[in-house]
Amino acid sequence: MSAVRPRVDLRLLPSAAVAWGAAACVVLVPLDRVRLLAACGAAALVLGAAALVACTGRARSRTLPAVVLVVVVGVAVLGAGAAQRVAAAPAGVVRAAQAGELVDVVGRVAAPPRPLGGRTDPRRVAVAVAADAVRSARTGALLAARVHVEVLVPAGTPADPAEAGRPALDVGARLEVRGRASVRPAGERAAVAVAVRGGPRLLDGPPAGSAWSVAAREHARELAAALPGDAGALLPGVTVGDTGGVPVDLRDAMRTSGLAHLTAVSGAHFALLGALALAVTGAVGAPRAVRAAAVGLVGTALVLVVGPEPSVVRAAVMGAVGLVGLLAGRRSPGPPALCTAVLLLLVHDPWLAVAPGFVLSVGATAGLVVLGPPLVARWAPRCGHATAGVLVAPVAAQLGCLPVVLALWPSLGLWSVPANLLAAPVVAPATVLGLGAVALAGWWPAGAGALAAVAGAACWWTGAVARVCAGLPGAAVAWLPGPVGAGCALLVAVAAAVLLVGRPRRA
């Protein structure tokens, strides 16, 4: 009797690959050539599909639906992406940025402020602002309305939560700034950056609908302040994705050891909370629709608390695809769900195609859903299904994102898989108990502190594993930079996957 290898459904992979390539081209091409690219790309897809269908002969009935889907997806991404790219760069704002003029911006903070690294401007913080109006400071003329702008403010500004009773520079806060505009490179979501010398003028706090999410992030920071060392530094990141308090040495150790993904809220958080919601509703005998609604509410709350980061958005959309499968009474397979999530997200937001967080998240998930089932099937007869699942997860995820990691940071961490295996047992307690502490902090501080202490102990273990593994020989082996290194990494990942999966032996 031979072991049965699970089949991997990759029928949507060509469509997802075409969508990703089309989105990347749309956001990276110069702005004055976007419309031409969209028209030529759509024509090329249609002509190529017609030629392919004409040459298929007898196989036409099987290939025609796939070819039509690829063409529809490619044209949709090119058209939607070109329209969004043009709308994101109004002519008046672009001309003012090219001339380096002073502009006035009024709008709301769209994403958590992030510090700018590097030597060029280490004392600046980037704040994504959804501007209601951008005006010329010289003439007062309206240059654009409803456009995204990146505001660069001094590094100390977002750290003042409520100075003199003023609202915090948090997501949803309304502000007004005056600064010098400049054009940002292609591939960035905001076409214009505005450098502010002084602090922004905060007009209003976040709206009432998002006030509770701001409070949740503040509770996470307060609970972390009571914990020592790495426990307090990692707790906000593990729970709500706030990595502002992680010191540089710990951040480097987490990246070198391959554990940096634990401080970015993504699919693992949604999976843990979704499983918990299903367990609770299943224990009380709730019907399928109620269970699906509970999972959806939990996922929506997590997105609102953490913010629309690329990996979070990808995980949320994939969870929604899984919800549809749950409501239909069937389990949604991993690869089709991931491809569907990629298609929907790239049509909605083509800039995700070049966002490192999104690319890493999709790579890790692809490794799990493609390599996970066959690896578990191969290793389960030797160590049991549960143990095989624990061992396979870090291996498959690391292989899936290895080419992307080495393309972004050309340094190979030889201890990444052992580090993930050592940290795996504490990931669920740190996440679930940490979020439970954040939920209790507003009305039961003592209970929240107790849960935070246990979650902090799990975070301390994660930090200790990261520091020890980052200090071992071979923790960071230099790799070829650029596209050549990424291509070599892809070959290595494919070869390792083939060797690991192999051919199932006869039982």
Side-chain angles (χ1 to χ4, degrees), residues 215-216 218-223 434-449 451-452:
E218 185 61 30
H219 288 325
R221 289 190 286 264
E222 292 174 353
L223 292 170
L435 288 172
V438 171
L440 291 176
W443 57 280
W444 189 19
L451 292 179

Side-chain angles (χ1 to χ4, degrees), residues 16-276:
V18 169
W20 204 307
C25 290
V26 164
V27 299
L28 292 177
V29 76
L31 184 62
D32 56 349
R33 301 178 184 176
V34 169
R35 292 187 177 91
L36 179 62
L37 170 70
C40 292
L45 283 172
V46 173
L47 292 176
L52 182 61
V53 171
C55 296
T56 53
R58 296 181 180 179
R60 181 180 304 176
S61 60
R62 290 179 295 178
T63 60
L64 184 58
V67 172
V68 171
L69 179 61
V70 168
V71 173
V72 171
V73 166
V75 172
V77 173
L78 286 172
Q84 293 180 66
R85 179 81 188 279
V86 172
V93 174
V94 172
R95 285 195 297 266
Q98 292 172 343
E101 297 181 5
L102 288 174
V103 297
D104 294 325
V105 178
V106 178
R108 291 192 178 274
V109 178
R114 70 181 193 280
L116 293 178
R119 302 175 182 175
T120 57
D121 204 0
R123 297 297 299 169
R124 291 278 185 175
V125 171
V127 184
V129 175
D132 298 329
V134 180
R135 299 181 180 274
S136 171
R138 180 174 55 88
T139 63
L142 179 65
L143 302 177
R146 300 187 181 278
V147 63
H148 281 270
V149 176
E150 185 168 88
V151 177
L152 308 178
V153 300
T157 304
D160 301 328
E163 181 183 357
R166 293 162 53 195
L169 189 60
D170 214 325
V171 177
R174 187 173 177 81
L175 54 79
E176 179 182 9
V177 298
R178 169 173 290 187
R180 193 165 300 279
S182 61
V183 178
R184 304 192 71 208
E188 301 291 341
R189 189 181 306 273
V192 173
V194 178
V196 182
R197 289 188 177 181
R201 180 188 174 193
L202 295 172
L203 304 177
D204 193 9
S210 61
W212 66 273
S213 61
V214 174
R217 290 192 292 271
E218 185 61 30
H219 288 325
R221 289 190 286 264
E222 292 174 353
L223 292 170
L227 301 175
D230 292 348
L234 292 177
L235 182 63
V238 171
T239 53
V240 296
D242 184 1
T243 58
V246 180
V248 177
D249 58 339
L250 180 56
R251 185 183 299 116
D252 293 341
M254 296 284 287
R255 179 176 296 174
T256 302
S257 61
L259 297 177
H261 62 92
L262 297 181
T263 58
V265 176
S266 59
H269 288 70
F270 286 90
L272 287 172
L273 294 180
L276 182 61

